[in-house]
Amino acid sequence: MLAFLIRRLFQGLVVMFVISLISFSIQDNLGDPLRELVGQSVSEAERDALREELGLNDPFLMQYTRFLGKAVQGDLGTSYFFKEPALTVILKKLPATLELVAGATLLIIIFSVPLGVYSAIKPNTLLTKIVMGVSIVGISVPVFLTAILLVYIFAIQLGLMPSYGRGELVHVFGYWDTGFLTADGLLHLVLPSIALSSIMMPLFIRLIRAEMLEVLSADYVRFARAKGLRLSRIYFLHALKNTMLPVITVGGVQIGTMVAYTILTERVFQWPGMGFMFLEAVTRVDTPLIVAYLIVVGLIFVITNTLVDLVYGLVNPTVRLTQGAPA
Protein backbone atom coordinates (compact mmCIF):
# COMPACT_ATOMS: atom_id res chain seq x y z
CA MET A 1 0.00 0.00 0.00
CA LEU A 2 2.86 2.39 0.83
CA ALA A 3 4.52 1.67 -2.51
CA PHE A 4 1.21 2.31 -4.23
CA LEU A 5 0.79 5.67 -2.49
CA ILE A 6 4.33 6.73 -3.39
CA ARG A 7 3.76 5.72 -6.99
CA ARG A 8 0.44 7.58 -7.20
CA LEU A 9 2.01 10.65 -5.56
CA PHE A 10 4.70 10.72 -8.23
CA GLN A 11 2.11 10.26 -10.98
CA GLY A 12 0.01 13.02 -9.44
CA LEU A 13 2.95 15.41 -9.43
CA VAL A 14 3.62 14.71 -13.11
CA VAL A 15 -0.06 15.25 -13.97
CA MET A 16 -0.18 18.51 -12.00
CA PHE A 17 2.98 19.73 -13.75
CA VAL A 18 1.40 19.08 -17.16
CA ILE A 19 -1.86 20.74 -16.11
CA SER A 20 -0.05 23.81 -14.81
CA LEU A 21 2.02 24.06 -18.01
CA ILE A 22 -1.03 23.82 -20.27
CA SER A 23 -3.10 26.19 -18.10
CA PHE A 24 -0.35 28.79 -18.00
CA SER A 25 0.41 28.55 -21.72
CA ILE A 26 -3.15 29.34 -22.85
CA GLN A 27 -3.52 32.55 -20.87
CA ASP A 28 -2.05 34.70 -23.65
CA ASN A 29 -4.88 33.56 -25.93
CA LEU A 30 -7.63 34.66 -23.55
CA GLY A 31 -7.27 38.38 -24.20
CA ASP A 32 -5.48 41.38 -22.75
CA PRO A 33 -5.84 41.54 -18.94
CA LEU A 34 -4.92 45.22 -18.96
CA ARG A 35 -8.27 45.92 -20.60
CA GLU A 36 -9.95 45.12 -17.29
CA LEU A 37 -7.24 46.54 -15.02
CA VAL A 38 -7.17 50.04 -16.48
CA GLY A 39 -9.70 52.30 -18.14
CA GLN A 40 -9.79 53.59 -21.68
CA SER A 41 -8.34 56.93 -20.56
CA VAL A 42 -5.01 55.40 -19.53
CA SER A 43 -2.23 56.23 -21.96
CA GLU A 44 -0.27 53.66 -23.91
CA ALA A 45 2.87 54.55 -21.97
CA GLU A 46 1.12 53.80 -18.68
CA ARG A 47 -0.15 50.52 -20.08
CA ASP A 48 3.38 49.52 -21.12
CA ALA A 49 4.69 50.43 -17.68
CA LEU A 50 2.02 48.35 -15.96
CA ARG A 51 2.66 45.45 -18.34
CA GLU A 52 6.34 45.61 -17.46
CA GLU A 53 5.54 45.77 -13.74
CA LEU A 54 3.34 42.68 -13.97
CA GLY A 55 6.04 40.82 -15.90
CA LEU A 56 3.81 40.29 -18.93
CA ASN A 57 6.63 41.26 -21.29
CA ASP A 58 9.00 38.59 -19.99
CA PRO A 59 9.67 35.46 -22.07
CA PHE A 60 7.25 32.59 -21.51
CA LEU A 61 9.83 30.34 -19.86
CA MET A 62 10.76 33.06 -17.39
CA GLN A 63 7.09 33.75 -16.57
CA TYR A 64 6.32 30.06 -16.11
CA THR A 65 9.38 29.42 -13.95
CA ARG A 66 8.42 32.35 -11.76
CA PHE A 67 4.83 31.09 -11.54
CA LEU A 68 5.93 27.52 -10.75
CA GLY A 69 8.24 28.71 -7.99
CA LYS A 70 5.37 30.56 -6.32
CA ALA A 71 2.85 27.77 -7.01
CA VAL A 72 4.82 25.19 -4.99
CA GLN A 73 4.51 27.63 -2.07
CA GLY A 74 0.73 27.89 -2.50
CA ASP A 75 0.78 31.20 -4.38
CA LEU A 76 -1.15 30.89 -7.65
CA GLY A 77 -1.14 34.60 -8.36
CA THR A 78 -3.38 37.53 -7.50
CA SER A 79 -6.79 38.01 -9.06
CA TYR A 80 -6.93 41.18 -11.17
CA PHE A 81 -10.60 41.73 -10.34
CA PHE A 82 -10.84 40.70 -6.67
CA LYS A 83 -7.41 42.17 -5.77
CA GLU A 84 -6.62 39.18 -3.55
CA PRO A 85 -4.82 35.85 -3.95
CA ALA A 86 -6.51 33.69 -6.60
CA LEU A 87 -6.35 30.64 -4.32
CA THR A 88 -8.20 32.55 -1.61
CA VAL A 89 -10.94 33.52 -4.05
CA ILE A 90 -11.30 29.88 -5.12
CA LEU A 91 -11.38 28.61 -1.52
CA LYS A 92 -14.24 31.01 -0.83
CA LYS A 93 -16.21 29.62 -3.78
CA LEU A 94 -15.20 25.97 -3.29
CA PRO A 95 -17.74 25.13 -0.51
CA ALA A 96 -20.70 26.06 -2.74
CA THR A 97 -19.44 23.84 -5.56
CA LEU A 98 -18.62 20.91 -3.29
CA GLU A 99 -22.05 21.07 -1.67
CA LEU A 100 -23.70 21.10 -5.09
CA VAL A 101 -21.64 18.07 -6.16
CA ALA A 102 -22.44 16.34 -2.85
CA GLY A 103 -26.17 16.93 -3.34
CA ALA A 104 -26.04 15.57 -6.89
CA THR A 105 -23.95 12.57 -5.79
CA LEU A 106 -26.45 11.75 -3.05
CA LEU A 107 -29.31 11.77 -5.55
CA ILE A 108 -27.34 9.55 -7.93
CA ILE A 109 -26.66 6.98 -5.20
CA ILE A 110 -30.22 7.00 -3.88
CA PHE A 111 -31.86 6.45 -7.28
CA SER A 112 -29.33 4.77 -9.56
CA VAL A 113 -28.49 1.78 -7.33
CA PRO A 114 -32.05 0.52 -6.70
CA LEU A 115 -33.22 1.34 -10.23
CA GLY A 116 -30.18 -0.31 -11.80
CA VAL A 117 -30.54 -3.42 -9.65
CA TYR A 118 -34.29 -3.64 -10.28
CA SER A 119 -33.79 -3.27 -14.04
CA ALA A 120 -31.36 -6.20 -13.98
CA ILE A 121 -33.53 -8.43 -11.78
CA LYS A 122 -36.76 -7.61 -13.65
CA PRO A 123 -35.58 -6.85 -17.20
CA ASN A 124 -38.95 -7.29 -18.92
CA THR A 125 -41.24 -5.25 -16.66
CA LEU A 126 -42.91 -1.99 -17.68
CA LEU A 127 -40.98 -0.03 -15.05
CA THR A 128 -37.67 -1.31 -16.42
CA LYS A 129 -38.61 -0.25 -19.94
CA ILE A 130 -39.59 3.20 -18.67
CA VAL A 131 -36.35 3.55 -16.71
CA MET A 132 -34.23 2.53 -19.72
CA GLY A 133 -36.15 4.89 -22.00
CA VAL A 134 -35.83 7.82 -19.64
CA SER A 135 -32.13 7.08 -19.14
CA ILE A 136 -31.51 7.37 -22.88
CA VAL A 137 -33.24 10.76 -22.88
CA GLY A 138 -31.30 11.82 -19.79
CA ILE A 139 -27.96 11.05 -21.41
CA SER A 140 -28.94 12.92 -24.57
CA VAL A 141 -30.28 16.15 -23.00
CA PRO A 142 -27.62 18.76 -22.09
CA VAL A 143 -27.43 19.63 -18.42
CA PHE A 144 -28.08 23.34 -19.02
CA LEU A 145 -31.30 22.53 -20.89
CA THR A 146 -32.47 20.35 -18.00
CA ALA A 147 -31.65 23.19 -15.60
CA ILE A 148 -33.63 25.73 -17.63
CA LEU A 149 -36.59 23.34 -17.85
CA LEU A 150 -36.55 22.78 -14.07
CA VAL A 151 -36.50 26.53 -13.44
CA TYR A 152 -39.38 27.10 -15.84
CA ILE A 153 -41.59 24.36 -14.38
CA PHE A 154 -40.89 24.45 -10.65
CA ALA A 155 -39.87 28.07 -10.13
CA ILE A 156 -41.75 30.09 -12.74
CA GLN A 157 -44.90 28.07 -13.45
CA LEU A 158 -45.52 26.33 -10.12
CA GLY A 159 -43.59 28.69 -7.83
CA LEU A 160 -42.54 25.78 -5.61
CA MET A 161 -38.76 26.19 -5.69
CA PRO A 162 -36.29 29.08 -5.67
CA SER A 163 -34.48 29.57 -8.95
CA TYR A 164 -31.19 31.19 -7.94
CA GLY A 165 -28.70 31.60 -5.12
CA ARG A 166 -27.86 29.43 -2.11
CA GLY A 167 -30.47 30.74 0.31
CA GLU A 168 -29.84 31.05 4.04
CA LEU A 169 -26.36 29.94 5.09
CA VAL A 170 -24.71 28.97 8.35
CA HIS A 171 -21.02 29.66 8.96
CA VAL A 172 -19.09 26.50 9.80
CA PHE A 173 -15.39 27.42 9.80
CA GLY A 174 -12.91 29.37 7.71
CA TYR A 175 -14.43 30.12 4.32
CA TRP A 176 -17.07 27.42 4.68
CA ASP A 177 -20.65 28.64 4.80
CA THR A 178 -23.16 25.81 4.36
CA GLY A 179 -26.78 25.62 3.34
CA PHE A 180 -27.11 22.02 4.53
CA LEU A 181 -28.07 23.18 8.02
CA THR A 182 -31.03 25.38 7.06
CA ALA A 183 -34.35 24.53 5.43
CA ASP A 184 -34.01 27.45 3.02
CA GLY A 185 -30.50 26.36 2.04
CA LEU A 186 -31.66 22.81 1.34
CA LEU A 187 -34.59 24.13 -0.69
CA HIS A 188 -32.24 26.18 -2.85
CA LEU A 189 -30.07 23.08 -3.36
CA VAL A 190 -32.84 20.86 -4.76
CA LEU A 191 -33.14 22.09 -8.36
CA PRO A 192 -29.39 22.56 -9.00
CA SER A 193 -28.67 19.10 -7.59
CA ILE A 194 -31.34 17.49 -9.78
CA ALA A 195 -30.00 19.29 -12.86
CA LEU A 196 -26.40 18.33 -12.15
CA SER A 197 -27.28 14.70 -11.40
CA SER A 198 -29.41 14.37 -14.55
CA ILE A 199 -26.41 13.88 -16.82
CA MET A 200 -24.73 11.25 -14.60
CA MET A 201 -27.65 9.31 -13.13
CA PRO A 202 -28.72 7.63 -16.42
CA LEU A 203 -25.13 6.54 -16.97
CA PHE A 204 -24.94 4.91 -13.55
CA ILE A 205 -28.33 3.23 -13.90
CA ARG A 206 -27.30 1.63 -17.18
CA LEU A 207 -23.85 0.73 -15.86
CA ILE A 208 -25.22 -0.93 -12.71
CA ARG A 209 -27.82 -2.80 -14.76
CA ALA A 210 -25.22 -4.07 -17.24
CA GLU A 211 -22.80 -5.17 -14.51
CA MET A 212 -25.58 -6.76 -12.48
CA LEU A 213 -26.81 -8.76 -15.48
CA GLU A 214 -23.29 -10.04 -16.06
CA VAL A 215 -22.82 -11.01 -12.41
CA LEU A 216 -26.20 -12.76 -12.26
CA SER A 217 -25.14 -15.01 -15.12
CA ALA A 218 -21.95 -16.07 -13.31
CA ASP A 219 -21.48 -19.66 -12.14
CA TYR A 220 -21.26 -18.82 -8.44
CA VAL A 221 -24.70 -17.13 -8.58
CA ARG A 222 -26.19 -20.21 -10.23
CA PHE A 223 -24.55 -22.33 -7.53
CA ALA A 224 -25.98 -20.11 -4.79
CA ARG A 225 -29.46 -20.50 -6.28
CA ALA A 226 -29.00 -24.25 -6.48
CA LYS A 227 -28.12 -24.30 -2.78
CA GLY A 228 -31.45 -22.67 -2.04
CA LEU A 229 -30.16 -19.33 -0.73
CA ARG A 230 -32.72 -16.56 -0.47
CA LEU A 231 -32.89 -14.45 -3.62
CA SER A 232 -32.54 -11.26 -1.59
CA ARG A 233 -29.26 -12.58 -0.14
CA ILE A 234 -28.00 -13.54 -3.60
CA TYR A 235 -28.96 -10.21 -5.16
CA PHE A 236 -27.89 -7.76 -2.47
CA LEU A 237 -25.05 -9.57 -0.71
CA HIS A 238 -23.23 -11.57 -3.35
CA ALA A 239 -24.17 -10.06 -6.71
CA LEU A 240 -24.42 -6.38 -5.74
CA LYS A 241 -21.01 -6.38 -4.05
CA ASN A 242 -19.25 -7.56 -7.20
CA THR A 243 -21.40 -5.28 -9.33
CA MET A 244 -20.23 -2.20 -7.42
CA LEU A 245 -16.52 -2.77 -8.06
CA PRO A 246 -16.42 -1.29 -11.60
CA VAL A 247 -19.10 1.21 -10.61
CA ILE A 248 -16.82 2.60 -7.90
CA THR A 249 -14.05 3.10 -10.44
CA VAL A 250 -16.27 4.89 -12.93
CA GLY A 251 -18.07 6.75 -10.17
CA GLY A 252 -14.92 8.32 -8.79
CA VAL A 253 -13.95 9.68 -12.18
CA GLN A 254 -17.47 10.95 -12.86
CA ILE A 255 -17.71 12.70 -9.50
CA GLY A 256 -14.57 14.58 -10.44
CA THR A 257 -16.13 15.34 -13.82
CA MET A 258 -19.19 16.82 -12.10
CA VAL A 259 -16.97 19.58 -10.71
CA ALA A 260 -16.46 20.68 -14.33
CA TYR A 261 -20.17 20.24 -15.16
CA THR A 262 -21.06 22.67 -12.39
CA ILE A 263 -20.02 25.50 -14.70
CA LEU A 264 -23.27 25.23 -16.68
CA THR A 265 -25.44 24.41 -13.68
CA GLU A 266 -24.10 27.27 -11.60
CA ARG A 267 -24.57 29.67 -14.49
CA VAL A 268 -28.26 28.87 -14.87
CA PHE A 269 -29.01 28.95 -11.14
CA GLN A 270 -26.64 31.83 -10.33
CA TRP A 271 -25.00 29.48 -7.86
CA PRO A 272 -21.99 31.31 -6.32
CA GLY A 273 -19.48 28.50 -6.78
CA MET A 274 -16.24 27.93 -8.67
CA GLY A 275 -17.94 27.31 -12.01
CA PHE A 276 -19.81 30.62 -11.99
CA MET A 277 -16.61 32.34 -10.82
CA PHE A 278 -14.68 30.77 -13.72
CA LEU A 279 -17.11 32.09 -16.34
CA GLU A 280 -16.89 35.57 -14.84
CA ALA A 281 -13.09 35.31 -14.79
CA VAL A 282 -13.08 34.43 -18.51
CA THR A 283 -15.31 37.42 -19.26
CA ARG A 284 -13.00 39.73 -17.29
CA VAL A 285 -9.81 38.11 -18.67
CA ASP A 286 -8.73 37.50 -15.08
CA THR A 287 -5.92 35.17 -16.16
CA PRO A 288 -4.45 34.41 -12.70
CA LEU A 289 -7.87 33.29 -11.51
CA ILE A 290 -8.46 31.20 -14.66
CA VAL A 291 -5.11 29.44 -14.32
CA ALA A 292 -5.66 28.85 -10.59
CA TYR A 293 -9.11 27.37 -11.26
CA LEU A 294 -7.77 24.92 -13.84
CA ILE A 295 -5.02 23.81 -11.47
CA VAL A 296 -7.39 23.35 -8.52
CA VAL A 297 -9.85 21.34 -10.64
CA GLY A 298 -6.96 19.21 -11.88
CA LEU A 299 -5.88 18.63 -8.29
CA ILE A 300 -9.42 17.54 -7.40
CA PHE A 301 -9.29 14.98 -10.22
CA VAL A 302 -5.94 13.62 -9.04
CA ILE A 303 -7.09 13.32 -5.42
CA THR A 304 -10.42 11.76 -6.43
CA ASN A 305 -8.79 9.13 -8.63
CA THR A 306 -6.30 8.22 -5.90
CA LEU A 307 -9.07 7.82 -3.32
CA VAL A 308 -11.07 5.70 -5.75
CA ASP A 309 -8.14 3.31 -6.15
CA LEU A 310 -7.80 3.07 -2.37
CA VAL A 311 -11.52 2.39 -1.89
CA TYR A 312 -11.42 -0.17 -4.70
CA GLY A 313 -8.68 -2.01 -2.85
CA LEU A 314 -10.65 -1.94 0.40
CA VAL A 315 -13.81 -3.25 -1.23
CA ASN A 316 -11.93 -6.00 -3.05
CA PRO A 317 -8.74 -6.89 -1.13
CA THR A 318 -7.68 -9.28 -3.90
CA VAL A 319 -7.05 -6.37 -6.27
CA ARG A 320 -3.35 -5.78 -6.80
CA LEU A 321 -2.68 -2.11 -6.29
CA THR A 322 1.00 -2.48 -7.09
CA GLN A 323 2.54 -4.86 -9.56
CA GLY A 324 3.39 -8.10 -7.86
CA ALA A 325 2.07 -7.07 -4.44
CA PRO A 326 -1.49 -7.53 -3.14
CA ALA A 327 -3.23 -4.70 -1.30
Side-chain angles (χ1 to χ4, degrees), residues 56-96:
L56 299 177
N57 293 330
D58 295 336
F60 172 80
L61 187 60
M62 182 182 297
Q63 292 186 49
Y64 179 69
T65 303
R66 183 168 58 238
F67 167 79
L68 199 61
K70 293 181 179 179
V72 296
Q73 304 175 39
D75 183 4
L76 298 180
T78 301
S79 169
Y80 295 150
F81 178 79
F82 292 98
K83 310 299 184 190
E84 58 182 338
L87 188 58
T88 300
V89 177
I90 291 175
L91 290 177
K92 290 180 179 179
K93 305 293 185 180
L94 182 60

Side-chain angles (χ1 to χ4, degrees), residues 92-286:
K92 290 180 179 179
K93 305 293 185 180
L94 182 60
T97 296
L98 291 183
E99 289 190 0
L100 179 55
V101 171
T105 303
L106 185 61
L107 290 177
I108 291 173
I109 294 173
I110 290 175
F111 291 100
S112 64
V113 174
L115 289 176
V117 171
Y118 176 85
S119 299
I121 296 174
K122 305 287 187 180
N124 298 317
T125 62
L126 178 61
L127 178 58
T128 296
K129 294 178 181 179
I130 293 175
V131 169
M132 291 298 100
V134 172
S135 67
I136 294 177
V137 175
I139 294 175
S140 305
V141 177
V143 63
F144 72 89
L145 187 59
T146 303
I148 294 173
L149 185 62
L150 289 173
V151 170
Y152 177 75
I153 295 175
F154 293 100
I156 298 177
Q157 293 296 322
L158 300 179
L160 298 176
M161 295 288 181
S163 61
Y164 65 92
R166 295 183 68 193
E168 183 181 355
L169 304 177
V170 174
H171 181 71
V172 181
F173 63 88
Y175 300 123
W176 200 291
D177 293 327
T178 181
F180 280 159
L181 302 179
T182 66
D184 187 55
L186 290 173
L187 196 63
H188 279 76
L189 186 64
V190 172
L191 291 185
S193 296
I194 294 175
L196 184 58
S197 66
S198 66
I199 196 65
M200 296 296 177
M201 191 181 301
L203 171 66
F204 279 92
I205 292 174
R206 300 181 72 86
L207 176 62
I208 292 172
R209 179 180 184 269
E211 293 295 333
M212 190 74 171
L213 286 172
E214 183 177 350
V215 170
L216 290 177
S217 63
D219 290 338
Y220 74 91
V221 174
R222 293 195 185 101
F223 182 71
R225 284 176 173 172
K227 287 177 62 178
L229 294 181
R230 295 193 310 272
L231 289 179
S232 59
R233 181 179 178 85
I234 295 174
Y235 292 149
F236 299 104
L237 180 61
H238 299 288
L240 183 59
K241 179 180 179 180
N242 292 323
T243 297
M244 295 308 294
L245 292 177
V247 175
I248 290 174
T249 303
V250 176
V253 176
Q254 295 302 326
I255 288 174
T257 304
M258 278 201 295
V259 175
Y261 275 113
T262 58
I263 292 178
L264 300 176
T265 307
E266 290 180 3
R267 180 66 174 178
V268 174
F269 291 98
Q270 300 292 294
W271 190 265
M274 291 198 308
F276 189 59
M277 175 213 70
F278 175 74
L279 290 177
E280 290 184 321
V282 172
T283 303
R284 298 167 180 149
V285 199
D286 195 341

